[in-house]
Amino acid sequence: PSIPPLPPPAKLVSLGLIQPSQGEMNRLPILVAVASAAAVASSLCSVDALVPAIPAKPFSVPVFSTPKPAPVGRRSIRSRACFDAYRLSANHVLFATDTEDETSASSADTGTSEIEEIPRPDPSILVAAMEPTEQKLAVVGISVGIILGTIVVINLLSLVDDALPIGWFDLWKDYTWPVPLGLIFMAAGVSHFTISDAFTAIVPPRGTWGGLWNVPAPGAEELGLSYEEYHCYWTGIAEFGGGLLLAGSGVGLFDLPVQVPAFLMFLLVLAVTPANVYMFTHDAQMSDLPRIPYPWGHAGRGVAQCVLLAFFWTLATT
């Protein structure tokens, strides 16, 4: 059959169909000539095939509708020429984008599987599997441990104060504690609403620990909230408000002694401590967040709770 002549390379560039670099521009006449010879030999190629219209739906196709070329090392001249001439075509870019999306999806799946691979304890060894009386004793013991740990940290801070030159500890405490702690709790308060499912998952239900936990939720039904949502939201508001008062007092934004919001934050941390205890006793996990290793991850959270309580107590009383 009669093969229409190919447009010159300059014509393809002027139409915006190809955008080669300077080196590719120098090779383009040779590549097009080789492609033309290959097209005549196969009798399958036309100008429309060399310059295809961009399809309405993104998909990746070879420039020529011909059999798959031979592997690298024996690749056909025609496929090599077309690849060099049109490697910046729309189809090639769309194919690269699809590949990146698949890679990202694969990475996300891998991250999820890594979270799920953290081993969980046998439910039979949890405090939740004990008899009601034993559960109560276990929770009381954990609470006493947190109180004692807080006292230990408070005494350690007092030793640091005695070891430092006069005034140094107060400078550290008054100028570096209120603002960072306030900002942290403000962010935590916001997260109670942005990722509320994570926090409702660790609210102890009424009757937990053999009936020891029986904290009410007044007004929850009138507000259309579940028990878990009620306690999630009010603690989020309290954390944001307390953090704002603490940080604002630390920088002189509010005419309020920093000891007042510090003591309020001490009480608030005490109020939310049962959620951390519940995570340990029932292996409760915050939804869509990294799993906590059992039991040492919970032990670390307990130490952090003692440190927070000690910092707020020291800030409120000195």
Side-chain angles (χ1 to χ4, degrees):
S2 176
I3 305 299
L6 288 169
K11 182 67 174 177
L12 295 176
V13 174
S14 65
L15 292 175
L17 299 174
I18 58 176
Q19 298 178 355
S21 62
Q22 185 60 42
E24 291 171 332
M25 191 64 189
N26 296 334
R27 292 187 301 156
L28 192 57
I30 300 174
L31 297 175
V32 173
V34 173
S36 300
V40 173
S42 62
S43 300
L44 294 175
C45 190
S46 67
V47 176
D48 291 337
L50 281 172
V51 190
I54 297 177
K57 182 179 180 181
F59 66 98
S60 180
V61 296
V63 177
F64 290 96
S65 298
T66 55
K68 186 177 180 180
V72 176
R74 293 178 295 177
R75 178 180 294 176
S76 66
I77 298 176
R78 179 181 58 198
S79 63
R80 179 59 183 172
C82 293
F83 176 80
D84 285 344
Y86 294 98
R87 65 188 178 84
L88 296 177
S89 65
N91 284 336
H92 180 75
V93 174
L94 290 172
F95 174 75
T97 302
D98 292 342
T99 303
E100 292 176 358
D101 291 342
E102 292 174 0
T103 303
S104 300
S106 175
S107 300
D109 293 341
T110 302
T112 302
S113 63
E114 288 177 354
I115 291 176
E116 293 175 350
E117 285 175 0
I118 295 179
R120 305 318 310 161
D122 185 346
S124 63
I125 69 171
L126 298 175
V127 173
M130 298 178 179
E131 294 295 328
T133 302
E134 294 175 337
Q135 291 188 44
K136 294 176 182 179
L137 292 174
V139 172
V140 170
I142 294 171
S143 302
V144 171
I146 292 174
I147 294 173
L148 293 177
T150 301
I151 294 173
V152 169
V153 178
I154 291 173
N155 287 327
L156 288 176
L157 291 174
S158 179
L159 291 175
V160 172
D161 187 9
D162 294 338
L164 292 175
I166 297 176
W168 283 30
F169 183 84
D170 290 335
L171 287 174
W172 174 49
K173 170 176 62 68
D174 296 335
Y175 289 95
T176 65
W177 291 13
V179 174
L181 288 174
L183 294 176
I184 289 172
F185 274 85
M186 288 175 65
V190 172
S191 66
H192 278 237
F193 294 87
T194 57
I195 52 173
S196 58
D197 289 345
F199 290 92
T200 55
I202 61 172
V203 175
R206 296 188 74 168
T208 301
W209 303 315
L212 184 63
W213 179 259
N214 197 23
V215 176
E221 293 184 2
E222 291 78 0
L223 296 172
L225 300 175
S226 67
Y227 180 83
E228 291 77 12
E229 290 173 337
Y230 179 89
H231 288 289
C232 169
Y233 293 152
W234 83 257
T235 53
I237 294 172
E239 288 181 1
F240 182 85
L244 179 61
L245 283 177
L246 184 64
S249 300
V251 297
L253 185 61
F254 303 120
D255 186 16
L256 185 70
V258 72
Q259 288 83 358
V260 174
F263 184 70
L264 293 176
M265 293 303 297
F266 174 82
L267 296 178
L268 179 59
V269 173
L270 274 181
V272 300
T273 297
N276 296 295
V277 176
Y278 178 70
M279 292 182 71
F280 169 70
T281 60
H282 289 67
D283 191 38
Q285 301 294 326
M286 303 180 77
S287 305
D288 301 326
L289 293 181
R291 304 296 184 252
I292 299 176
Y294 187 94
W296 300 114
H298 296 284
R301 286 177 64 89
V303 172
Q305 202 79 357
C306 295
V307 172
L308 274 177
L309 289 169
F311 270 48
F312 285 131
W313 179 263
T314 302
L315 197 58
T317 58
T318 58

